[in-house]
Amino acid sequence: LQCEWAGQNRCRLNSSRVLMLLGQLERLNGEAVVTDIEAIRQVTGKILHLIQTQEKTRKEIMTKGSSGMEVILTSLENTRDLQTILNILCILNELLTVGGGRRVGVFVSKGGTAIVLQLLVQSGKEASPSEELMLHLHSLLAKVGPKDRKFGIKARLNGALNVTVNLLKQNLQNHKLLLPCLQVLRVYSSNSVNAVSLGKSGVVELMFKVIGPYSKKNTTLLKVALDTLAALLKSKMNARRAVDRAHVPALLAIYQDWHRNDTRHRHMLIRKSILGCIKNITNIKLGRKAFIDADGMRILYNTSAECLPVRTLDPLVNTSSLIMRKCFPKNRLPLPTIKSVFHHPLQHVPASGPVAQLYSQPPGVDDVVDESDDNEDTEVDTENDTENEEDEKDPRNDDIETDINKLRSRQVLTRPFEELRVYERFFREFSEDFQVKALPLLIEWEGLEQPNMTLQSPCLMLCLNKWAIKSPSFRLWSNGTVSSGMKELHSIPFGICWDGVCDKLELELVQGLSQLLLDASQSVNGGCGGEGPQEESGEQAVLEVPDTAALLPLHDPDLYLVMVKGTCSVPGYTEVAYPDYFGHVAPNFREHILERVYGVQRSKIFQDIERLIHPTDILDKVVYDLDLQSCPVIDDGECLKFNSQFESGNLRKAIQVRKFEYDLVLNSDINSNHYHQWFYFEVSSMRVGVPYRFNIINCEKSNSQFNYGMQVLMYSVQDAISGSPRWVRTGSDICYYKNHFSRSSIAAGGQKGKSYYTMTFTVTFQHKDDVCYFAYHYPYTYSTLKMHLQKLRALRTPQIYYRQEQLCETLGGNCCPLLTITAMPESTGNDHICQFRNRPVVFLTARVHPGETNASWVMKGTLEFLMSSSPLAQSLRESYIFKIIPMLNPDGVINGNHRCSLSGEDLNRQWLTPSAELHPTIYHTKSLLQYLTAIGRTPLVFCDYHGHSRKKNVFMYGCSIKETVWQTNVSASSSDLQEDLGYRTLPKLLSQLAPAFSLSSCSFVVERSKESTARVVVWREIGVQRSYTMESTLCGCDQGKYKGLQIGTRELEEMGSQFCVALLRLRRLTSPLELRNHHTHLLDMESDLIETRCNITCPTTYVMEEDEPAFLEEVDYSAESDEENDPDADHAHLDPSSDPEFTHQDSLT
C-alpha cells in the first residue's frame, strides 16, 4: 500500500512538474527579448525527459483546456537555438506518436502545420542544414500531413515542396533521411496541383531511382516510394512523362521480378503498389497503348493465373483484372448500325429529342463507332465498387423538386370541356338506368373475334413450315386444309415453327393429351431453305400438346392462335413461340435467389481477356443475324440455332465465340438506338450435358440484379410436352459487368467514353433434340392479353358489370383495350341505381414499359380477382367502379421493345403534353382522367403497375409535398406543408396484406425528372391524392414470407389480388361511417412522420439505390454512367425507421 501511495505521489509530482515547466516556458516566451537561451534549452529538455518516461505527462499536456500545445508551438516559432528546436520537435513527435487523430487535430488547430513548414523552409535556406533537424521535421510532417486536409496547399504556399525535393536528391543513398522525405512527398502528391509541380521538378524520375527489382532490404522504403509514385501518376501530365520515358515496360519488369521471387508472398503490399502505379498510368490513352505494346496483357494474365489458387492474393488478381479490362482494346459492336433492325415510319416526327435526332441523322453516318477514341479517357475504374452506390453521393438529392408551387396538387383543366365531352361514351355507367334492357355484358372491341369466326387479318400472314395441329378445337394440316367438321379458317395457312427436331425424334406419349403433328422434312425458318408446304407423304413425328385447361383456366392454345392473327407487328411475324402457345403453369417448388459463387465475375473477365491473348482460339462465327433479313439463321450442324422472330421476341445477332460460347446482341427499341435489356429468344440443336455460356454484350445499365441472385428464365419444349409446361429460373455463373464494347456518343446521349455491359450465364441442357426459350422475365404478350380478356368474359356472373371497349388504335394498328368493372345494381330502383352511379372510381394502368412483363402478371391477378365470384370480390365491385387499361403500350410489347412505343419514346415521360398522333394511348388515357375531373368524379386511387430491375420486393412510389420538402433545404411555412396523409394508407395496408410488399422501400418524394410521369401528373394536374406507381421486382424478396426466394407468376398474381383486398379495406377507412376514426388515425401518422423526419434520406435520382450487402469478391460493375434515361425511374428512398406506423390497429380492420 505504501508503494502504491508512493507511485501516486510521484505521478502527482511529475504532473505538477510538467505544468510548472510549461509555466516557466510560457514566461520565457513572454519576454520581449529572449536572452536566456540556455534556460529555454534546459526547460524543453526536462519536458522531453518527462514525456519520454511518463505517459501521464503526455495526457496532461493534451488535456482538454490545457494550453500546453500553444506554449510549445510558441516556443518553436520564437526560438532560433538548434538544440531547443530539436527538443521541441522531439516533444511534438512523442506527443503525436500516440493518441490518434485527436492530438494531431489539436496540433493542426493551433497552427502547428504552418509553423513547422515555415521552419522547414528557413532551414532549407541554410548552406548546410542540419541532417538531424531535417529528419525530425519530416518525421513530424509525415505524422501530421495525412490528418491535415489543407496540408498540400499549405506546403505549396510556404514553398516547402522544393526543400523536400532538394533534400531527396541529395540523400538518395541516405535511407535514414530518405524514408521521412518520401513519406512527406507522398502526402504532398495527394494534392493534384502539387503532383504536377513535383512532376516538373523531376520527382517521377527520382522515384524510379528508388524503386527497383526484388530485394529483401529496405522494403518499407520501397513501399513508400511506390505509393508516392502512384500518387504522382494520377496526374495526366506525369503519366505522359512516364510513358515518354519508357517507364511502363520498366514497371512491368519490376512487377514480374517481384512476382517471381516473392514465393512466400510476404511482400504482397509491394506488389500491389506496383500494380497501383500501372493502374494510374493506364488511365490515359498513351499509357494503355504502351501497356499493350509492352505485352502487359499477357504478363498480368499469366501472373494472375498463378495467383488464383492463393486466396490471400486476391487483391493482386482484382487489380490486375481492372488494369486488363481497362486496357483491353475498345471494340465496336458487331453491327452495321445501332438503330433497330426494324423501322416504323412516323407520320409526325417530334420536333426535338432523340427521335428527331435519329431522323435528322445524315445517311451513311457510322453510329456504332466510339467517337471518344480521339479523346483522353478520364474514366477510372474503382476497386471498391459496392452495390450501395449512393454511399459516395451527397445525401441531398439535386433532382428533388424544390418549387413549392409545383408541389401543390391542384386540379388543372388544360382542355375545354367541350373537347372532353367526346369521352362521355366511355362512362355510360354514370348514366345507365337499366330500365330498357336487361342487365347486360357490354363488349365493344373491334377485332376481337370468337375462335370459330371467319378471320381476315392483313397484319399477320402466318405460314406453316412443318406443323399440323390436331386438337379438340380445330385441326389444321400443313397443306392449309381443315379436317372435316371444322369451320375453315380461310385459306391463310397457319402454324408454329419448331427448329431443331430431327427426323427420327422419338418421344414418349402422354396419355390424355391432344397431338401436334410435325412434318420434319420441312426446312427451318421458312424462306431460308425452300418455300411452300411439304407433301403429305413426308415423314412425320408425333408431339403432344399438354392439356393445361384445368391448371390454366384463362389459357386456350387454339384461342391464342386466333388472337395472334389479329395482332399487327412491324416485322410481320410468321411464327408463334411455344411458351405462348402452350402456356405457363407456375412450378410447385421454390426457386431460391442464387448464391453467387466467389470469383465468378473474375473468371468470366479472364475468359474474355483470353480472346485477346489467344485470338486463334476464337471462332467469331455469326450463326444468327436479323440484319440478313433473307436468311437470318445459319445452320451448319456444328452450332446452336437461334430464333427470335415471334411476338415479343428480341435477339438481333448471335456469334459463336468458342465451341460452347456465344455472344448475343439485342435489338434496340424501334425508332431508337438504345434500351437494350429485354430479351426473348429460342435455342435449338443443343448437346446434352454440355455447359453453354451465353453473353449478352450490349446491356446499358450500370448494374443489375443479375449480380445479386437473379436468374434468367428458360422454357423447355420437351418438358412442356411431357406435362410440365412452365418457365423455370435457370443458369449458373451469372454476373453482370462492364465490357470492352464502346457505346458511341450518339447512343449515349452525347456522352463519350461509355461502354456496354455484359450479362453472362451458363446453361446445361437436359434433353436431346429440345427447343428451349430464354427470357429476361416471364413473357406476357399482347395476344396473351387478348386471350385472357376473352376468357375473362366466361367468368362473368349476372352480378358483374363488365364492359370492354377500344380506347384507341395504336401507331401499329392495334387496339388498346379499356375495361370497366363494377357490380350490377341490386335492382332497377332509384336508390340502387344512384348508388351504382356514384361509386368512387379506381383507375388502374399497366405495361407502359414493354420489358416490365411482371406488371402484366400483377394486372392479371387483379383482373382475375375482380371477375371472381368470391364475397370479397363482390364487395369490392360494389364499392368501386374500376376503369382499367391493362396494356398502355401494345406496340412495344408486340415488337419486343424494352422501353418505348413505335414513336421511339418512353410513354411514361409524355404525360405532361402527350400527342394524339405520337402517343395516342397516353393522350386518351389522360383525357379520360381529365373528363372525370371535369365532371367532379376525380378517381379515389390511380395506380400504374411497373416492374423494377434493380431492387427487390414490391413497393410503391407516391407523391407528398411534405416529404419532398423535408429532403431539401427549402424553407416552407406550415401552411404550405398542409396535406392529407391518406396517401400512406394504401401502402400501409399492402404491407400488412401482401407478403412481397415492403413498406420501407416506398417513397413519396417528387423529383424533377419525374414531373412528366403518370404518377406525378395525375397527382398534380388531375388532383388524385392517392396517385401511385407500384413497382414489382424482377428478382425476388429479401423480407417477409418470400425472403430469399425469386419471384414467380404465382406471387405476382397474388400481389395483384392482394392489391384488390387492400382497396376494399381502404374503402372501409374512407367511408363516412369511418371518417372520424380515419382523421384520428391521420393525426397519429403525422406525429410519427414529424418524429422520424430527420431519419429520411434520399439517394440520387440517376444512380439507383441498392439494398444488397457487398460481396467478398469486389463486384466491379463500374457505376459511372449517368442514368438520365434509366428506366428504373422513381426511387427516392425513405429510411425504414421513418415509416409511420398506424397506432390504432383496429382502424385498419
Side-chain angles (χ1 to χ4, degrees), residues 462-478:
L462 298 158
C463 61
L464 177 65
N465 291 331
K466 298 169 292 187
W467 285 93
I469 299 171
K470 180 180 180 183
S471 72
S473 299
F474 61 91
R475 184 179 299 166
L476 183 64
W477 298 95
S478 60

Side-chain angles (χ1 to χ4, degrees), residues 851-866:
E852 296 168 7
T853 58
N854 46 358
S856 283
W857 289 100
V858 176
M859 178 58 77
K860 179 175 181 285
T862 295
L863 292 174
E864 287 191 44
F865 184 91
L866 284 173

